[in-house]
Amino acid sequence: MSSRVDELREKASQLPLQPGVYLYKDTAGTVLYVGKAKNLRNRVRSYFNEDRLAEAKTGSLIREAHDLDYILLDNEKEALALENNLIKQYKPRFNVLLRDDKTYPYIKLTNEKWPRVYVTRRLRKDGTYFGPYFPGNLAHRLVNFIHRHFKIPSCTVDFSRNHTHPCLEFHIHRCLGPCVQGLTTEQIYAEHVRDVRMFLEGRTHDLASEMRKRMEQASEAMEFERAAALRDLIHTVEEVEQKQKMAAASGDDIDIFSSYAEPPQVAVNLFHLRNGRIVDRREFFWEDLSEYEPQEFFTTLLMQVYSAGQPVPAVIHVPLELDDREVLEELLSEKRGKKTEIHTPQRGQKRALLALVGSNARHSFEQRFRVLRPTSAAISEALEEALNLPDAPKRIECFDISHIQGTDKVASMVVWEEGRMKKSDYRKFIIRTVVGNDDFASMYEVVTRRYGRLQAEDKPMPGLVLIDGGLGQLHSAAAALEALGILNQPLASLAKREETLYVYGQEDEPILLERNSPVLHLVQMIRDEAHRFAVTFHRSRRDARTLTSELAEIPGVGPKTIEKLLKTFGSLTGVKAASEEELAAAIGKVAAAKLRAALAGLATGVEG
């Protein structure tokens, strides 16, 4: 190792005395660490000082490093920006990585013939995006408002083909029904889409004026019902406009960061103050930061948070003075399009707010790394955030399929409700319509049967339907719900191999949670319970079939006797292990004697 360290030291001594980014790589060329420097040579040479080599992180890095690369840049600002991009690209394990890099949601207005609105966290070039919105559920509340008042849907129905009848959303007046010919026209639909666009752009005054003209036209044409609906909508839109004006005059936009660390575990809280009041709070956790250096940590954290789609505020408060403050301010100001300042408050109300965020960070640390048992409400809210759900689910129903090479196919449904498993609501299903080994078709059948029955009984849907499986099972469940006319039902699946969560409608944004995440623990626990319940039911069905087929060959043992044996002993193994007295108690002395003799003969035949 000594010769390799000497080679790296020599390479460092030859680096330019200019700003840039440096990359340590291992023998396979994998990037281990990305750093930035005002002076590349001085910064990288410092890694080989005896004091630095004695540090846990630096010593491990140099021991594993095989090569050193660099990129020259014109100034520190470019170096900081490139460092952030390379960290996001390579995810080097010696860098501080923002693992919980979920962004706040956007509202997407698609550019289809019949546009729809969706809540999403990923920006693409396939429509118009509005946002981001926080708190996270604000986007869902706005989309729900659009459904109720403008009747533009979020469904996944194929509008390219004509359907025979509309879904429930049309009947409860939350959709214009473009899927069925004759229910609406392109002109009417386009008018509603224009209204939605103005509403999301914040042009509420223009929208109210436009609708007032339509109301007058409807009144003149004696379409009084339509005129009354427009009058009510104008009133609602004007209320929204008034609230926005009041909020805009009430204060600044500020983000406040603070942390609590007991390396290698670190918790960070981020409070968003908008218009002078706290509107949301986010938590970030690291469980394997072997070396916590606050300067590097907060610089990297700010860059990663605001490059992940978060809105940049006018002011950012952090708990320590940052060496890179001026460069960070310049970069974030460019991103925002207006000046952004980074402060470390020393007194007054702002210092008190920073202390409040710090105490919340400590509480988050305790909840995650010490208590590890947050309340069911807290877990439910965390699940809502992690899966981008419209509401925190109070009830989760989870499905699993079990069989052996397509035989004795069964399914299970288990229920989590208000923080506990509700065993009284568990359900077993025998797969009836599927031939052979087809998990997707089996899932389609079970979901259809379960929620078709709920519809028939007029019972509410759960807050989340969870599927044990990958994308195939997820899409089968979604197809079953769509066939029933059930749309916008929160639906997710948990794939076993990587413990990856897929949320229907966001499949291109798979969710990988930290292994210590209470949300992951919850969905794993529910999934494992569904699997256990399905396997137990499958085993009992298989044992019953085996017992029936083998005992049916014994003279004098008929179907009623077999049924009694199954009920009492459960399996062929249980029957064979029973004494003659136990058998006699179940089926009578004569039948027990015949059965015992027959079983002895079967055993002899097997051994022979």
Side-chain angles (χ1 to χ4, degrees):
M1 185 188 82
S2 163
S3 61
R4 183 161 40 82
V5 172
D6 289 341
E7 289 174 9
L8 289 172
R9 184 185 284 110
E10 178 61 26
K11 197 164 188 175
S13 69
Q14 302 300 318
L15 292 178
L17 299 168
Q18 295 169 245
V21 169
Y22 56 94
L23 303 91
Y24 281 105
K25 300 178 179 179
D26 65 13
T27 53
T30 303
V31 177
L32 297 171
Y33 181 79
V34 176
K36 53 120 179 60
K38 186 189 303 185
N39 182 315
L40 278 169
R41 185 188 301 175
N42 292 347
R43 179 63 179 271
V44 179
R45 284 179 66 184
S46 71
Y47 280 79
F48 300 93
N49 296 338
E50 288 187 13
D51 291 345
R52 292 291 305 277
L53 287 173
E55 295 172 0
K57 177 181 175 181
T58 304
S60 298
L61 172 63
I62 298 302
R63 280 193 296 273
E64 293 191 36
H66 187 266
D67 195 12
L68 174 63
D69 202 357
Y70 68 94
I71 301 170
L72 279 178
L73 295 159
D74 288 335
N75 52 56
E76 283 184 84
K77 185 179 77 173
E78 290 181 3
L80 184 57
L82 181 59
E83 177 197 39
N84 179 62
N85 290 337
L86 292 177
I87 288 172
K88 287 174 63 179
Q89 178 182 346
Y90 293 117
K91 296 182 171 55
R93 62 189 184 85
F94 281 92
N95 281 99
V96 175
L97 298 177
L98 182 60
R99 302 187 192 282
D100 177 9
D101 60 352
K102 299 183 297 296
T103 60
Y104 281 98
Y106 290 78
I107 294 176
K108 171 184 173 183
L109 183 63
T110 66
N111 54 11
E112 306 167 274
K113 177 183 177 182
W114 305 99
R116 289 176 260 210
V117 289
Y118 296 105
V119 176
T120 182
R121 294 178 186 269
R122 181 168 294 185
L123 301 179
R124 297 181 180 277
K125 296 180 180 179
D126 58 350
T128 306
Y129 291 84
F130 303 90
Y133 295 96
F134 49 83
N137 63 2
L138 175 59
H140 290 284
R141 297 204 307 269
L142 289 174
V143 166
N144 185 53
F145 180 89
I146 289 166
H147 293 332
R148 285 188 288 113
H149 296 287
F150 300 110
K151 299 180 175 61
I152 300 300
S154 298
C155 66
T156 55
V157 173
D158 183 0
F159 289 166
S160 65
R161 62 185 180 88
N162 195 40
H163 296 256
T164 56
H165 59 276
C167 69
L168 178 65
E169 295 293 298
F170 172 80
H171 292 296
I172 61 175
H173 310 296
R174 290 167 59 90
C175 177
L176 292 169
C179 55
V180 177
Q181 192 170 3
L183 293 182
T184 189
T185 66
E186 289 188 38
Q187 181 181 354
I188 292 172
Y189 199 90
E191 184 179 273
H192 283 245
V193 170
R194 283 197 301 274
D195 290 346
V196 169
R197 190 182 296 275
M198 279 194 283
F199 175 72
L200 291 174
E201 287 174 348
R203 296 164 53 200
T204 48
H205 180 72
D206 294 342
L207 176 58
S209 299
E210 179 69 25
M211 287 190 296
R212 194 169 282 106
K213 290 177 186 175
R214 282 186 230 148
M215 180 184 69
E216 292 168 358
Q217 291 169 357
S219 181
E220 289 172 4
M222 290 191 290
E223 297 174 358
F224 299 119
E225 189 175 337
R226 181 166 180 261
L230 283 165
R231 178 201 62 207
D232 293 342
L233 184 53
I234 290 167
H235 180 67
T236 303
V237 167
E238 286 177 338
E239 277 188 351
V240 171
E241 181 186 21
Q242 191 60 35
K243 286 178 182 177
Q244 288 177 341
K245 284 180 180 176
M246 290 170 62
S250 62
D252 293 329
D253 293 351
I254 303 173
D255 280 358
I256 307 174
F257 290 82
S258 195
S259 68
Y260 181 80
E262 292 182 14
Q265 297 167 334
V266 180
V268 167
N269 264 222
L270 162 58
F271 276 36
H272 295 293
L273 273 74
R274 293 297 180 266
N275 305 313
R277 61 192 180 91
I278 297 172
V279 297
D280 203 13
R281 165 194 174 210
R282 287 189 71 187
E283 299 172 305
F284 305 96
F285 299 99
W286 289 262
E287 57 191 63
D288 55 0
L289 275 185
S290 58
E291 190 171 310
Y292 173 69
E293 201 289 303
Q295 281 282 345
E296 177 189 346
F297 178 84
F298 273 98
T299 297
T300 305
L301 177 64
L302 293 182
M303 286 299 297
Q304 292 187 29
V305 164
Y306 294 114
S307 66
Q310 307 307 309
V312 180
V315 179
I316 299 168
H317 291 168
V318 291
L320 74 166
E321 295 283 352
L322 299 178
D323 294 340
D324 296 312
R325 180 182 61 79
E326 292 181 1
V327 179
L328 272 168
E329 286 179 338
E330 193 175 343
L331 276 168
L332 295 175
S333 296
E334 288 178 4
K335 185 172 179 59
R336 180 172 178 253
K338 296 179 183 178
K339 184 173 179 58
T340 291
E341 298 178 353
I342 300 172
H343 298 305
T344 304
Q346 301 298 321
R347 62 185 66 85
Q349 185 183 13
K350 292 176 182 178
R351 178 65 187 176
L353 272 172
L354 186 62
L356 172 68
V357 179
S359 66
N360 275 269
R362 179 162 191 155
H363 179 72
S364 298
F365 185 98
E366 298 285 343
Q367 284 287 311
R368 171 61 69 91
F369 297 118
R370 293 214 178 97
V371 180
L372 290 176
R373 293 189 65 183
T375 65
S376 62
I379 294 179
S380 190
E381 289 172 6
L383 185 63
E384 173 193 359
E385 170 66 18
L387 272 61
N388 192 22
L389 303 177
D391 297 293
K394 295 181 179 178
R395 180 181 172 99
I396 300 172
E397 296 185 356
C398 180
F399 295 84
D400 187 28
I401 307 293
S402 184
H403 59 82
I404 294 179
Q405 297 180 342
T407 64
D408 301 307
K409 295 183 293 293
V410 300
S412 69
M413 184 198 83
V414 300
V415 176
W416 177 89
E417 186 173 284
E418 299 283 3
R420 62 182 182 84
M421 301 307 297
K422 191 175 182 182
K423 295 192 175 183
S424 60
D425 284 2
Y426 285 15
R427 295 291 182 269
K428 301 172 183 175
F429 301 85
I430 298 171
I431 306 299
R432 299 169 180 162
T433 63
V434 179
V435 178
N437 181 7
D438 190 339
D439 284 357
F440 301 159
S442 298
M443 186 62 71
Y444 184 95
E445 177 189 326
V446 171
V447 171
T448 301
R449 286 165 56 187
R450 168 62 181 167
Y451 297 114
R453 181 165 183 171
L454 281 194
Q455 280 186 322
E457 296 174 352
D458 196 26
K459 290 183 177 178
M461 294 289 289
L464 174 66
V465 176
L466 182 64
I467 305 298
D468 181 10
L471 287 172
Q473 285 91 338
L474 178 70
H475 289 150
S476 295
L481 291 172
E482 183 177 338
L484 292 169
I486 298 171
L487 304 176
N488 304 321
Q489 165 61 40
L491 175 66
S493 69
L494 180 61
K496 287 188 181 73
R497 181 174 297 178
E498 298 294 338
E499 298 293 62
T500 302
L501 274 162
Y502 294 98
V503 179
Y504 185 63
Q506 307 168 46
E507 295 92 326
D508 56 350
E509 305 175 46
I511 299 165
L512 276 170
L513 298 168
E514 296 175 26
R515 65 178 183 270
N516 269 354
S517 166
V519 172
L520 180 60
H521 292 169
L522 173 65
V523 293
Q524 283 175 329
M525 181 268 291
I526 298 171
R527 186 272 315 275
D528 292 345
E529 175 68 355
H531 183 67
R532 179 201 65 77
F533 195 50
V535 167
T536 302
F537 183 39
H538 172 263
R539 188 176 295 126
S540 68
R541 291 273 301 168
R542 185 189 63 206
D543 289 345
R545 178 173 55 80
T546 305
L547 179 62
T548 301
S549 62
E550 294 201 21
L551 295 184
E553 298 175 3
I554 299 174
V557 178
K560 289 187 177 180
T561 302
I562 293 172
E563 186 179 343
K564 289 178 181 177
L565 290 167
L566 267 176
K567 190 173 182 180
T568 306
F569 302 106
S571 67
L572 183 60
T573 303
V575 171
K576 288 179 177 178
S579 66
E580 192 165 330
E581 289 77 13
E582 290 172 326
L583 291 172
I587 60 176
K589 288 183 179 180
V590 175
K594 286 182 180 180
L595 179 59
R596 173 59 64 196
L599 289 173
L602 284 173
T604 304
V606 171
E607 289 172 358

